[in-house]
Amino acid sequence: MRDAVRQATLAELVDHGYPGLTVERVAERSGVHKTTVYRRWGNVEGLISDALELAKDEPWPVPDTGSIEGDLRGIVQLVRSGFADPELGPVSSAFVAAAVQNAEAARALHEFFMARHEQSAEVVRRAVARGELPDVVDVREVIRVAVAPVYYRLFVAHEPVSERDADRAADAALAAARAGVL
Amino acid sequence: MRDAVRQATLAELVDHGYPGLTVERVAERSGVHKTTVYRRWGNVEGLISDALELAKDEPWPVPDTGSIEGDLRGIVQLVRSGFADPELGPVSSAFVAAAVQNAEAARALHEFFMARHEQSAEVVRRAVARGELPDVVDVREVIRVAVAPVYYRLFVAHEPVSERDADRAADAALAAARAGVL
C-alpha cells in the first residue's frame, strides 16, 4: 500500500505539479481509501515526505572506475542523464519544484540530498585513500561543487546541459580539490 | 504605470507565490485598471516576463577589486547577500520558484541569467587582459561554476550558505579556470 500511494503521489506531482496535488486525487489514483490516506499520511506534505523518504533508500549506483576523474564524471553524468530520462526526469524535477514552494517538501528534499552527498562522497574518500587527493579535502563539498552546475543550468538559468557540460563540471570540482581549495 | 504594475507583480509573487498570482490582484494592488493590465500584459506570464525584463536592466555592480580572486568572490557574495536580503531575497526566490512552475517564466528567467552572465563575465575578461587567466578560458562558464554552488544550496539541497561557502565556490571556479578546465 505504501508503494501504491507513493507511485500515485509521484504521478500526480508530474501531471499537476505541487499546487495540483491533493490527498483525494492520490487516494483515487492509488486505489487506497481516502480516509486511510488521510489517517496515515495526514496531508500533501506527508505524501511528499514519504515519497522522498523512499527515494532516499533507492540504490544509487556510485561509480567505481578506479580513478577519481572517472568516478566524479560518472556521478555528474548520472545526475544529468537522470533528469534527461523521460520517466525519471519529470519525477525528479517535480520534487525540486515542490520544494521551492513548500517548506515541508524542502525539508524532505534536504534530507534526501544529505543522504545522496554522503553516498557519493565515497568516491572522494577512495581517492584520498589512493593518494589522488589531499586528506584534508571536504569530501561532501567536492560532490556539491561537481553537481551544482548541472542543477544550476536546469533549475535556475534554464539552459540545456550537454554531456560535455557535465564532464566539465566534474573536472572543475576535481581541479579545485587538487588545488586544495575544497 | 509599468513600474507600478511591476512592483505589484513582485509583491504578489512574494506574498502568494506563482500559483496565487492573478491579473486581478496585480491590477488592484497597482491601482491600474484591470482592463488596462489585461490589454497590455495579457496574463500572469506576461506580468512575470515584464518584471524580469526590467530587472535585467537594473544596475548590477560588477566588482573591480584589481584581482580576479577578489572580483569573483565579490560576485558570489553579491548573489549570497542578495538572497539573504529581507527585501530583495523573497523577490528573487519567487522568480526562481515561478520559473520551475511555468515555461514562460522559465524563458524570462533564462534571458535574465544570460544577461547577468554576460555582465559578470567582464571580471574574467579583465583577468585575461591582465594575464591572470589563459585567454582560452570560457568566461561565462567561470561565472556559472562560481555561482552554481550558492544556488544549489539555496534551491536544490536547501542548505544554508555561509560567507565562507560563497568564497570557496568562487575560489573553486578560479582554481578550475587556472588549471585550464574551464
Side-chain angles (χ1 to χ4, degrees), chain B residues 68-139:
Chain B
I68 182 63
E69 185 178 22
D71 286 356
L72 260 190
R73 284 186 169 201
I75 285 172
V76 183
Q77 292 295 349
L78 271 175
V79 172
R80 191 196 64 79
S81 61
F83 283 105
D85 184 276
E87 299 258 315
L88 192 60
V91 173
S92 311
S93 299
F95 276 135
V96 176
V100 296
Q101 297 171 71
N102 175 270
E104 191 59 46
R107 267 189 292 275
L109 197 62
H110 172 77
E111 291 304 319
F112 172 81
F113 275 103
M114 295 309 98
R116 195 45 71 82
H117 292 166
E118 181 55 30
Q119 292 166 322
S120 307
E122 183 58 23
V123 307
V124 187
R125 285 189 206 98
R126 286 197 303 246
V128 171
R130 284 192 301 256
E132 290 181 288
L133 287 175
D135 66 0
V136 293
V137 74
D138 181 337
V139 294

Side-chain angles (χ1 to χ4, degrees), chain B residues 161-176:
Chain B
V161 190
S162 68
E163 286 192 37
R164 179 167 177 257
D165 293 330
D167 280 346
R168 207 149 61 146
D171 294 351
L174 182 55

Side-chain angles (χ1 to χ4, degrees), chain A residues 19 99-101 106 109-110 113-114 117 138 141 144 147-149 151-153 156-159 168 171-172 176 181, chain B residues 19 99-101 106 109-110 113-114 117 138 141 144 147-149 151-153 155-159 168 171-172 176 181:
Chain A
V100 294
Q101 297 171 70
L109 197 63
H110 172 76
F113 275 103
M114 294 310 99
H117 292 167
D138 181 338
E141 191 65 11
R144 281 194 197 90
V147 300
Y151 286 98
Y152 177 71
R153 275 189 156 84
V156 180
H158 296 277
E159 300 182 78
R168 208 148 62 143
D171 294 351
V181 168
Chain B
V100 296
Q101 297 171 71
L109 197 62
H110 172 77
F113 275 103
M114 295 309 98
H117 292 166
D138 181 337
E141 191 65 12
R144 281 193 197 89
V147 300
Y151 287 97
Y152 176 72
R153 276 190 156 83
F155 296 106
V156 180
H158 297 277
E159 301 182 79
R168 207 149 61 146
D171 294 351
V181 167

